[in-house]
Amino acid sequence: MKNSNNLLLFFLALLMVNCSKKTESKDSYNKGEMTILTDESFKSVTEALAEGYMISYPETKINVQTKKEDLGFLDLLNNKARLVVMSKELSPEEIKAYESKVDLKFIPAKFAADAVVFFVPKDSEKSSITMEEIKEGLQSEDKNFVFDGTNSSNLNFVAQKLKKQPKVLKFSVISGSTNVIEELNKYPNKIGVIGLNTISRPYDKETEKLRDMIKILPIISNGKSYLPDSDGLREMKYPFTRVLYFLANEGNFNIASGFIRYSCTHLGQKIVQKEGLQPYNIYGREVEMR
């Protein structure tokens, strides 16, 4: 009788395993659900790419969630996220941690050129800013530069360009890029620092309203003036041009890999261009007609 009970339990356990296998997720590049973590600065272009992907593959659902860049990267390492959008250059230690914990080779999937921009209210008399002003201002107790938060991609990137740790820079904070734009006129002599994608979408009414409130400052470097326009981004002459890239923690061709591939193809790159950013994988070609 005891053996019969053991045999019955064995078959029940086997049945449960088989049932669980049948209900396992069968996600693929064209079916399933995924959340992408992105810094607020890249939210607009990430959402546009996600919408394009879901139109192309109606059985997919992509959720875009904003999270500070450093925290998103940690979530990726701890398997709490499948895909993140990044801009900062990872340190050798961070690359080692990625390859160790995710068990993948570090190959950033670059898809757009963005920028960190410095601005003042529309009616400000200030018309440009030098690299020296930026370096000195971020060491001053006056804290005249206003960022959208600590651990943000904008702060990380500026610190990297100046070869400084973010923690040693002196700055003010107004939480959220939109709030920095809308509230900067309350603080005379302050300079706002945001990501270009916050204001780059050409035909969006809300974005147009934000653009009309500010004046983007050209950066003077080595006697030359640079703007975060198409020429400044394409040739990376604008000093604070940055490249956006994806990092995933799955090695198979699943929804994350499918989304990356889509974003880097011609269709995805046209979406990047419509966002007012510089596509990373599309370059203008000159054709000589004979």
Side-chain angles (χ1 to χ4, degrees):
M1 185 71 177
K2 184 177 180 181
N3 288 337
S4 297
N5 288 337
N6 288 340
L7 190 62
L8 179 61
L9 288 172
F10 172 76
F11 280 115
L12 285 173
L14 187 63
L15 181 63
M16 290 175 67
V17 169
N18 287 334
C19 287
S20 67
K21 285 183 178 179
K22 288 178 183 178
T23 58
E24 281 178 358
S25 170
K26 296 190 181 296
D27 284 2
S28 67
Y29 76 93
N30 62 355
K31 184 178 182 180
E33 185 171 354
M34 174 183 69
T35 296
I36 302 174
L37 299 184
T38 176
D39 191 273
E40 182 195 7
S41 296
F42 324 134
K43 181 183 178 184
S44 183
V45 68
T46 306
E47 286 182 334
L49 288 167
E51 289 167 7
Y53 193 79
M54 289 187 288
I55 290 171
S56 296
Y57 303 104
E59 292 188 72
T60 61
K61 180 173 176 55
I62 298 180
N63 307 299
V64 177
Q65 180 181 333
T66 57
K67 201 159 196 176
K68 297 298 185 185
E69 187 176 44
D70 288 344
L71 302 180
F73 179 66
L74 288 176
D75 277 358
L76 186 77
L77 295 187
N78 294 320
N79 203 31
K80 295 179 180 178
R82 295 164 72 179
L83 188 66
V84 296
V85 185
M86 303 285 294
S87 67
K88 74 170 189 173
E89 295 180 18
L90 297 188
S91 68
E93 292 76 19
E94 288 172 323
I95 293 174
K96 184 177 179 180
Y98 173 81
E99 294 184 338
S100 172
K101 299 200 74 171
V102 176
D103 197 26
L104 289 173
K105 190 72 176 172
F106 173 69
I107 305 177
K110 301 174 181 179
F111 68 96
D114 184 31
V116 172
V117 298
F118 297 78
F119 72 92
V120 289
K122 197 80 169 181
D123 58 357
S124 172
E125 293 182 0
K126 192 170 183 62
S127 59
S128 65
I129 190 168
T130 66
M131 285 295 292
E132 289 70 25
E133 283 182 273
I134 295 172
K135 292 174 185 176
E136 292 172 6
L138 287 168
Q139 298 297 317
S140 170
E141 293 296 339
D142 293 335
K143 298 182 179 180
N144 282 333
F145 289 87
V146 183
F147 286 82
D148 56 339
T150 57
N151 296 112
S152 73
S153 64
N154 299 321
L155 179 62
N156 288 339
F157 188 74
V158 170
Q160 276 194 332
K161 291 296 289 185
L162 300 181
K163 296 181 171 55
K164 301 284 186 181
Q165 290 294 319
K167 62 184 179 182
V168 306
L169 300 182
K170 302 182 188 304
F171 56 92
S172 302
V173 170
I174 296 177
S175 183
S177 297
T178 300
N179 291 333
V180 176
I181 294 172
E182 292 178 340
E183 297 183 25
L184 194 68
N185 59 5
K186 299 177 184 177
Y187 306 97
N189 304 320
K190 299 290 186 183
I191 296 169
V193 188
I194 59 171
L196 177 62
N197 189 220
T198 302
I199 54 171
S200 65
R201 187 178 285 187
Y203 308 112
D204 180 72
K205 289 184 178 179
E206 185 61 33
T207 305
E208 187 176 350
K209 177 184 173 184
L210 294 174
R211 279 198 303 270
D212 287 343
M213 296 172 67
I214 66 174
K215 182 197 302 182
I216 295 177
L217 299 175
I219 294 179
I220 311 298
S221 179
N222 297 321
K224 294 184 178 180
S225 176
Y226 301 99
L227 274 168
D229 53 16
S230 57
D231 290 336
L233 298 186
R234 186 184 305 112
E235 300 177 19
M236 299 193 76
K237 290 181 177 179
Y238 178 73
F240 291 93
T241 303
R242 60 184 173 188
V243 176
L244 306 185
Y245 63 92
F246 296 111
L247 274 185
N249 68 356
E250 63 175 36
N252 56 343
F253 191 66
N254 213 317
I255 187 169
S257 300
F259 180 77
I260 289 172
R261 177 174 290 187
Y262 170 86
S263 300
C264 295
T265 62
H266 183 82
L267 183 56
Q269 292 291 280
K270 295 302 287 184
I271 292 174
V272 170
Q273 192 170 44
K274 286 181 179 179
E275 277 288 305
L277 299 182
Q278 173 61 37
Y280 189 82
N281 296 300
I282 294 179
Y283 301 95
R285 293 179 174 84
E286 293 183 4
V287 179
E288 183 178 352
M289 303 296 292
R290 296 181 180 275

mmCIF file of all heavy atoms in Angstrom, residues 35-44 47 63-69 72:
data_model
loop_
_atom_site.group_PDB
_atom_site.id
_atom_site.type_symbol
_atom_site.label_atom_id
_atom_site.label_comp_id
_atom_site.label_asym_id
_atom_site.label_seq_id
_atom_site.Cartn_x
_atom_site.Cartn_y
_atom_site.Cartn_z
ATOM 1 N N THR A 35 9.313 45.463 -19.929
ATOM 2 C CA THR A 35 9.458 46.835 -19.428
ATOM 3 C C THR A 35 10.871 47.331 -19.725
ATOM 4 O O THR A 35 11.847 46.620 -19.465
ATOM 5 C CB THR A 35 9.205 46.901 -17.913
ATOM 6 O OG1 THR A 35 7.838 46.543 -17.657
ATOM 7 C CG2 THR A 35 9.451 48.303 -17.373
ATOM 8 N N ILE A 36 10.970 48.527 -20.289
ATOM 9 C CA ILE A 36 12.265 49.173 -20.538
ATOM 10 C C ILE A 36 12.467 50.253 -19.485
ATOM 11 O O ILE A 36 11.563 51.062 -19.252
ATOM 12 C CB ILE A 36 12.316 49.819 -21.930
ATOM 13 C CG1 ILE A 36 12.045 48.797 -23.026
ATOM 14 C CG2 ILE A 36 13.672 50.482 -22.166
ATOM 15 C CD1 ILE A 36 11.953 49.422 -24.410
ATOM 16 N N LEU A 37 13.623 50.275 -18.865
ATOM 17 C CA LEU A 37 13.960 51.332 -17.918
ATOM 18 C C LEU A 37 14.760 52.405 -18.642
ATOM 19 O O LEU A 37 15.739 52.105 -19.325
ATOM 20 C CB LEU A 37 14.775 50.773 -16.749
ATOM 21 C CG LEU A 37 14.093 49.706 -15.885
ATOM 22 C CD1 LEU A 37 14.991 49.333 -14.709
ATOM 23 C CD2 LEU A 37 12.732 50.170 -15.392
ATOM 24 N N THR A 38 14.346 53.651 -18.487
ATOM 25 C CA THR A 38 15.047 54.751 -19.146
ATOM 26 C C THR A 38 15.080 55.965 -18.229
ATOM 27 O O THR A 38 14.125 56.225 -17.491
ATOM 28 C CB THR A 38 14.357 55.126 -20.479
ATOM 29 O OG1 THR A 38 15.007 56.267 -21.054
ATOM 30 C CG2 THR A 38 12.892 55.464 -20.281
ATOM 31 N N ASP A 39 16.166 56.687 -18.272
ATOM 32 C CA ASP A 39 16.225 57.969 -17.594
ATOM 33 C C ASP A 39 15.188 58.894 -18.213
ATOM 34 O O ASP A 39 14.861 58.785 -19.406
ATOM 35 C CB ASP A 39 17.631 58.565 -17.747
ATOM 36 C CG ASP A 39 17.854 59.775 -16.850
ATOM 37 O OD1 ASP A 39 17.507 60.895 -17.290
ATOM 38 O OD2 ASP A 39 18.342 59.600 -15.744
ATOM 39 N N GLU A 40 14.661 59.806 -17.420
ATOM 40 C CA GLU A 40 13.643 60.732 -17.923
ATOM 41 C C GLU A 40 14.117 61.472 -19.171
ATOM 42 O O GLU A 40 13.324 61.782 -20.067
ATOM 43 C CB GLU A 40 13.283 61.741 -16.825
ATOM 44 C CG GLU A 40 12.200 62.714 -17.225
ATOM 45 C CD GLU A 40 12.095 63.923 -16.313
ATOM 46 O OE1 GLU A 40 12.956 64.076 -15.428
ATOM 47 O OE2 GLU A 40 11.153 64.710 -16.488
ATOM 48 N N SER A 41 15.413 61.742 -19.251
ATOM 49 C CA SER A 41 15.959 62.497 -20.388
ATOM 50 C C SER A 41 15.754 61.786 -21.721
ATOM 51 O O SER A 41 15.703 62.430 -22.764
ATOM 52 C CB SER A 41 17.455 62.749 -20.180
ATOM 53 O OG SER A 41 17.668 63.572 -19.065
ATOM 54 N N PHE A 42 15.660 60.451 -21.697
ATOM 55 C CA PHE A 42 15.507 59.690 -22.944
ATOM 56 C C PHE A 42 14.105 59.121 -23.109
ATOM 57 O O PHE A 42 13.871 58.294 -23.993
ATOM 58 C CB PHE A 42 16.497 58.511 -22.987
ATOM 59 C CG PHE A 42 17.833 58.779 -22.372
ATOM 60 C CD1 PHE A 42 18.410 57.853 -21.506
ATOM 61 C CD2 PHE A 42 18.524 59.942 -22.637
ATOM 62 C CE1 PHE A 42 19.640 58.081 -20.933
ATOM 63 C CE2 PHE A 42 19.758 60.186 -22.064
ATOM 64 C CZ PHE A 42 20.322 59.253 -21.210
ATOM 65 N N LYS A 43 13.200 59.540 -22.259
ATOM 66 C CA LYS A 43 11.864 58.924 -22.250
ATOM 67 C C LYS A 43 11.133 59.100 -23.580
ATOM 68 O O LYS A 43 10.499 58.167 -24.086
ATOM 69 C CB LYS A 43 11.030 59.530 -21.123
ATOM 70 C CG LYS A 43 9.633 58.932 -21.009
ATOM 71 C CD LYS A 43 8.828 59.621 -19.914
ATOM 72 C CE LYS A 43 7.410 59.057 -19.842
ATOM 73 N NZ LYS A 43 6.584 59.777 -18.841
ATOM 74 N N SER A 44 11.211 60.281 -24.164
ATOM 75 C CA SER A 44 10.452 60.576 -25.378
ATOM 76 C C SER A 44 10.850 59.654 -26.528
ATOM 77 O O SER A 44 9.998 59.031 -27.162
ATOM 78 C CB SER A 44 10.645 62.034 -25.784
ATOM 79 O OG SER A 44 9.866 62.339 -26.924
ATOM 80 N N GLU A 47 9.848 55.977 -25.776
ATOM 81 C CA GLU A 47 8.417 55.739 -25.974
ATOM 82 C C GLU A 47 8.070 55.680 -27.461
ATOM 83 O O GLU A 47 7.248 54.850 -27.880
ATOM 84 C CB GLU A 47 7.607 56.843 -25.297
ATOM 85 C CG GLU A 47 7.568 56.734 -23.782
ATOM 86 C CD GLU A 47 6.721 57.820 -23.140
ATOM 87 O OE1 GLU A 47 6.575 58.902 -23.753
ATOM 88 O OE2 GLU A 47 6.239 57.593 -22.024
ATOM 89 N N ASN A 63 6.339 48.348 -21.972
ATOM 90 C CA ASN A 63 6.107 49.395 -20.987
ATOM 91 C C ASN A 63 7.390 50.193 -20.802
ATOM 92 O O ASN A 63 8.466 49.605 -20.646
ATOM 93 C CB ASN A 63 5.698 48.782 -19.643
ATOM 94 C CG ASN A 63 4.531 47.821 -19.781
ATOM 95 O OD1 ASN A 63 3.455 48.209 -20.207
ATOM 96 N ND2 ASN A 63 4.746 46.557 -19.450
ATOM 97 N N VAL A 64 7.288 51.498 -20.834
ATOM 98 C CA VAL A 64 8.454 52.367 -20.625
ATOM 99 C C VAL A 64 8.358 52.960 -19.221
ATOM 100 O O VAL A 64 7.391 53.653 -18.901
ATOM 101 C CB VAL A 64 8.507 53.485 -21.686
ATOM 102 C CG1 VAL A 64 9.684 54.425 -21.402
ATOM 103 C CG2 VAL A 64 8.627 52.890 -23.082
ATOM 104 N N GLN A 65 9.347 52.661 -18.407
ATOM 105 C CA GLN A 65 9.362 53.135 -17.020
ATOM 106 C C GLN A 65 10.579 54.014 -16.791
ATOM 107 O O GLN A 65 11.699 53.638 -17.147
ATOM 108 C CB GLN A 65 9.394 51.938 -16.062
ATOM 109 C CG GLN A 65 9.418 52.324 -14.588
ATOM 110 C CD GLN A 65 9.477 51.091 -13.690
ATOM 111 O OE1 GLN A 65 9.025 50.015 -14.058
ATOM 112 N NE2 GLN A 65 10.044 51.246 -12.502
ATOM 113 N N THR A 66 10.374 55.200 -16.219
ATOM 114 C CA THR A 66 11.501 56.097 -15.961
ATOM 115 C C THR A 66 12.187 55.740 -14.651
ATOM 116 O O THR A 66 11.526 55.451 -13.646
ATOM 117 C CB THR A 66 11.051 57.566 -15.923
ATOM 118 O OG1 THR A 66 10.040 57.723 -14.935
ATOM 119 C CG2 THR A 66 10.512 58.005 -17.268
ATOM 120 N N LYS A 67 13.511 55.777 -14.700
ATOM 121 C CA LYS A 67 14.324 55.500 -13.519
ATOM 122 C C LYS A 67 15.681 56.147 -13.732
ATOM 123 O O LYS A 67 16.189 56.186 -14.859
ATOM 124 C CB LYS A 67 14.480 53.988 -13.312
ATOM 125 C CG LYS A 67 14.861 53.610 -11.893
ATOM 126 C CD LYS A 67 14.494 52.160 -11.615
ATOM 127 C CE LYS A 67 14.503 51.917 -10.113
ATOM 128 N NZ LYS A 67 14.063 50.544 -9.775
ATOM 129 N N LYS A 68 16.278 56.659 -12.669
ATOM 130 C CA LYS A 68 17.597 57.266 -12.792
ATOM 131 C C LYS A 68 18.580 56.270 -13.401
ATOM 132 O O LYS A 68 18.523 55.074 -13.121
ATOM 133 C CB LYS A 68 18.103 57.733 -11.430
ATOM 134 C CG LYS A 68 17.248 58.813 -10.782
ATOM 135 C CD LYS A 68 17.199 60.082 -11.591
ATOM 136 C CE LYS A 68 16.431 61.183 -10.870
ATOM 137 N NZ LYS A 68 16.284 62.390 -11.693
ATOM 138 N N GLU A 69 19.472 56.782 -14.236
ATOM 139 C CA GLU A 69 20.355 55.930 -15.034
ATOM 140 C C GLU A 69 21.126 54.919 -14.179
ATOM 141 O O GLU A 69 21.161 53.723 -14.501
ATOM 142 C CB GLU A 69 21.330 56.816 -15.812
ATOM 143 C CG GLU A 69 22.196 56.060 -16.803
ATOM 144 C CD GLU A 69 23.069 57.001 -17.616
ATOM 145 O OE1 GLU A 69 23.659 57.927 -17.026
ATOM 146 O OE2 GLU A 69 23.149 56.818 -18.833
ATOM 147 N N GLY A 72 18.778 52.238 -12.815
ATOM 148 C CA GLY A 72 18.344 51.330 -13.869
ATOM 149 C C GLY A 72 19.406 50.296 -14.186
ATOM 150 O O GLY A 72 19.103 49.118 -14.403
#
